[in-house]
């Protein structure tokens, strides 16, 4: 088959949000540069809501990735009708099981559905890693409040209460005693079982990378600053993480070993972790790119990097210079956290974001909007991402620019 006839099946398209559209636009542009034809699938309403994505595709189809088996059945029908897809890929967290099922149905490279399902179900991933010898906090899956209280009585706090399969810190709360449990359960999204686990003490990081020849390759480590407990809202990323070289090497060693133990082999990865007194403690594992504009930050710290393009190159057999996939510059982002209340004014924004080192900036609120308490990434109202020669310089600059922005809020009446 001629190179121009090679086709990418992009499962799940983009979510209807600025960041999601930017990620997928970048991924599709990198596919175009490799001569790939593009077929995008997504839920019908989201296809309509993301016209810039559908405009980049050669074909689009309304397929519900959230319905078990529907994407794989659709793909089999297309294959039976003579369609051929060389690469199956997707970036949305909630579409990763569909991506794996479609790849398996078509005989295309991909992760097994079982492996993806395991890492998307947080307690199953924890149990699998613990069985493989990786340190993990004690945890339990609870059907109700009574089960959670039993676990609290048998363990030493503090603890974390969280849903089994959500993302973006949605519904995640730290509690220091049984008296805080009911409120934490009320913060969970939806109903059903949930997880209670021991809180891990230590700074949090993540590893961003890609699978090449079936093996994980860490591109960079990201350090994080979070709002104080009880919440886990991330307010800063710095890439590469400012760490001693030996610590960084140990984190990378543990991450790559864990990905192999979890039987993952394809696409991108974003692995969350803590550095503790006992070394690396792994958190959640994702078989997709990181959020929070990290895809743009990585492109600054590794000049010429095409993160999504590496996935396509791996399938197509294009040469990849692994030695060049290392950070040589620094980047940082600050997520703005104005005080809750009705927004009366924003001062200093234009001056801050006019700085030539700004990679990307967005303000998603305007005077009159109500600022809610910051509980998850869904509450992010703006950000400033910068690039510099070193991560230390980037961090200092991002914090300086954030300090130039002042949000004036008033109490919400009624």
């Amino acid at each position: 088959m001629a190179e121009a006839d090679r086709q990418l099946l992009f499962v799940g398209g983009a979510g209807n949000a600025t960041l999601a559209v930017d990620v997928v636009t970048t991924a599709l542009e990198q596919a175009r540069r490799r001569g790939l034809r593009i077929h995008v699938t997504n839920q019908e309403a989201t296809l309509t809501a993301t016209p810039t994505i559908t405009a980049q595709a050669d074909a689009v189809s309304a397929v519900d990735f959230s319905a078990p088996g529907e994407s794989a059945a659709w793909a089999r029908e297309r294959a039976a009708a003579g369609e051929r897809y060389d690469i199956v890929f997707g970036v949305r967290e909630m579409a990763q099981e569909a991506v794996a099922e479609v790849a398996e149905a078509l005989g295309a490279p991909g992760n097994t559905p079982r492996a993806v399902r395991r890492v998307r179900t947080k307690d199953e991933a924890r149990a699998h890693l613990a069985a493989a010898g990786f340190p993990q906090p004690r945890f339990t899956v609870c059907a109700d409040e009574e089960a959670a209280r039993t676990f609290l009585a048998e363990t030493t706090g503090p603890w974390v209460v969280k849903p089994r399969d959500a993302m973006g810190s949605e519904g995640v709360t730290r509690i220091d005693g049984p008296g805080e449990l009911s409120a934490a359960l009320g913060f969970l999204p939806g109903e059903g079982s949930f997880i209670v686990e021991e809180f891990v003490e230590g700074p949090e990081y993540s590893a961003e990378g890609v699978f090449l020849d079936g093996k994980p390759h860490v591109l960079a480590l990201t350090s994080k600053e979070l709002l104080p407990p009880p919440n886990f809202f991330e307010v800063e990323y710095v890439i590469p993480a400012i760490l001693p070289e030996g610590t960084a090497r140990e984190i990378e060693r543990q991450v790559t070993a864990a990905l192999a133990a979890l039987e993952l082999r394809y696409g991108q990865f974003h692995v969350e972790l803590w550095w503790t007194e006992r070394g690396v403690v792994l958190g959640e594992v994702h078989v997709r790119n990181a959020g929070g504009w990290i895809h743009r930050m990585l492109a600054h710290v590794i000049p010429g990097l095409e993160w999504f393009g590496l996935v396509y190159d791996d399938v197509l057999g294009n040469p990849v210079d692994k030695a060049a996939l290392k950070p040589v510059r620094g980047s940082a982002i600050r997520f703005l956290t104005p005080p809750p209340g009705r927004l009366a004014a924003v001062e200093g924004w234009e001056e801050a974001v006019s700085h030539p080192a700004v990679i990307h900036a967005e303000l998603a609120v305007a005077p009159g909007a109500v600022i809610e308490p910051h509980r998850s990434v869904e509450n992010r109202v703006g950000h400033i991402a910068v690039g510099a020669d070193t991560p230390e310089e980037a961090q200092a600059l991002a914090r300086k620019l954030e300090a130039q922005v002042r949000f004036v809020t008033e109490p919400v009446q009624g």
Side-chain angles (χ1 to χ4, degrees), residues 35-285:
L36 293 167
R37 290 179 53 80
I38 300 167
H39 193 143
V40 171
T41 68
N42 202 344
Q43 295 158 320
E44 186 170 6
T46 319
L47 282 174
T48 302
T50 54
T52 60
I53 300 302
T54 58
Q56 293 179 74
D58 297 290
V60 297
S61 295
V63 186
D64 187 357
F65 60 81
S66 68
E70 183 170 321
S71 293
W74 173 88
R76 290 190 194 96
E77 291 177 1
R78 300 292 297 211
E83 285 283 342
R84 171 174 171 164
Y85 302 101
D86 303 272
I87 304 173
V88 179
F89 185 61
V91 299
R92 298 179 70 178
E93 173 70 25
M94 299 302 180
Q96 290 309 312
E97 288 186 48
V99 171
E101 290 169 356
V102 169
E104 183 178 66
L106 297 177
N111 294 304
T112 67
R114 182 182 67 173
V116 174
R117 196 170 300 115
R118 178 190 295 131
V119 297
R120 289 219 63 253
T121 308
K122 298 172 185 179
D123 52 288
E124 291 185 17
R126 284 239 187 274
H128 193 88
L129 287 171
F134 295 92
Q136 291 283 277
R138 291 180 62 185
F139 71 93
T140 189
V141 179
C142 302
D144 52 33
E145 185 169 341
E146 181 180 356
R149 292 194 178 279
T150 299
F151 181 74
L152 297 188
E154 296 173 349
T155 54
T156 301
W159 303 269
V160 175
V161 179
K162 62 184 181 181
R164 293 185 75 188
D165 63 354
M167 58 180 289
S169 301
E170 182 182 10
V172 180
T173 308
R174 168 180 158 160
I175 62 173
D176 293 306
E180 301 172 4
L181 178 61
S182 294
L185 297 182
F187 185 54
L188 290 168
E191 299 180 353
S193 59
F194 56 92
I195 295 172
V196 181
E197 65 184 30
E198 293 175 329
F199 177 76
V200 179
E201 295 281 359
E204 186 173 336
Y205 302 91
S206 62
E208 328 304 342
V210 62
F211 291 91
L212 299 172
D213 299 321
K215 297 179 181 179
H217 179 93
V218 175
L219 296 170
L221 301 180
T222 303
S223 62
K224 303 180 180 183
E225 180 186 334
L226 283 68
L227 284 179
N231 306 312
F232 295 85
F233 186 92
E234 297 162 350
V235 294
E236 179 185 84
Y237 300 147
V238 178
I239 307 176
I242 303 169
L243 282 168
E245 185 177 344
T247 302
R249 282 201 305 267
E250 175 61 13
I251 290 174
E252 292 186 15
R253 186 186 72 81
Q254 292 277 357
V255 166
T256 54
L259 290 167
L262 290 165
E263 301 174 315
L264 298 169
R265 63 195 184 200
Y266 174 78
Q268 299 166 310
F269 60 83
H270 167 67
V271 179
E272 299 169 359
L273 59 104
W274 298 269
W275 181 255
T276 73
E277 293 181 350
R278 53 179 173 160
V280 176
V281 175
L282 296 162
E284 295 178 12
V285 175

Side-chain angles (χ1 to χ4, degrees), residues 210-390:
V210 62
F211 291 91
L212 299 172
D213 299 321
K215 297 179 181 179
H217 179 93
V218 175
L219 296 170
L221 301 180
T222 303
S223 62
K224 303 180 180 183
E225 180 186 334
L226 283 68
L227 284 179
N231 306 312
F232 295 85
F233 186 92
E234 297 162 350
V235 294
E236 179 185 84
Y237 300 147
V238 178
I239 307 176
I242 303 169
L243 282 168
E245 185 177 344
T247 302
R249 282 201 305 267
E250 175 61 13
I251 290 174
E252 292 186 15
R253 186 186 72 81
Q254 292 277 357
V255 166
T256 54
L259 290 167
L262 290 165
E263 301 174 315
L264 298 169
R265 63 195 184 200
Y266 174 78
Q268 299 166 310
F269 60 83
H270 167 67
V271 179
E272 299 169 359
L273 59 104
W274 298 269
W275 181 255
T276 73
E277 293 181 350
R278 53 179 173 160
V280 176
V281 175
L282 296 162
E284 295 178 12
V285 175
H286 305 275
V287 283
R288 56 161 172 81
N289 63 288
W293 301 92
I294 285 177
H295 69 293
R296 288 206 178 197
M297 297 170 70
L298 275 180
H300 173 82
V301 303
I302 306 176
L305 173 70
E306 294 200 346
W307 193 6
F308 308 95
L310 287 174
V311 179
Y312 313 145
D313 289 337
D314 188 55
V315 177
L316 298 172
N318 296 337
V320 174
D321 183 3
K322 296 180 184 179
L325 300 178
K326 296 183 182 299
V328 298
R329 298 189 293 202
S331 182
I333 188 169
R334 293 291 298 183
F335 297 100
L336 309 182
T337 54
R342 189 173 301 281
L343 185 61
V346 181
E347 301 171 350
W349 172 258
E350 295 298 334
E351 293 81 0
V353 300
S354 65
H355 193 286
V358 172
I359 294 172
H360 194 270
E362 181 181 30
L363 186 62
V365 291
V370 174
I371 307 298
E372 302 290 346
H374 302 291
R375 300 297 300 271
S376 79
V377 297
E378 297 300 321
N379 294 125
R380 287 175 175 168
V381 302
H383 65 267
I384 302 174
V386 302
D389 290 336
T390 68

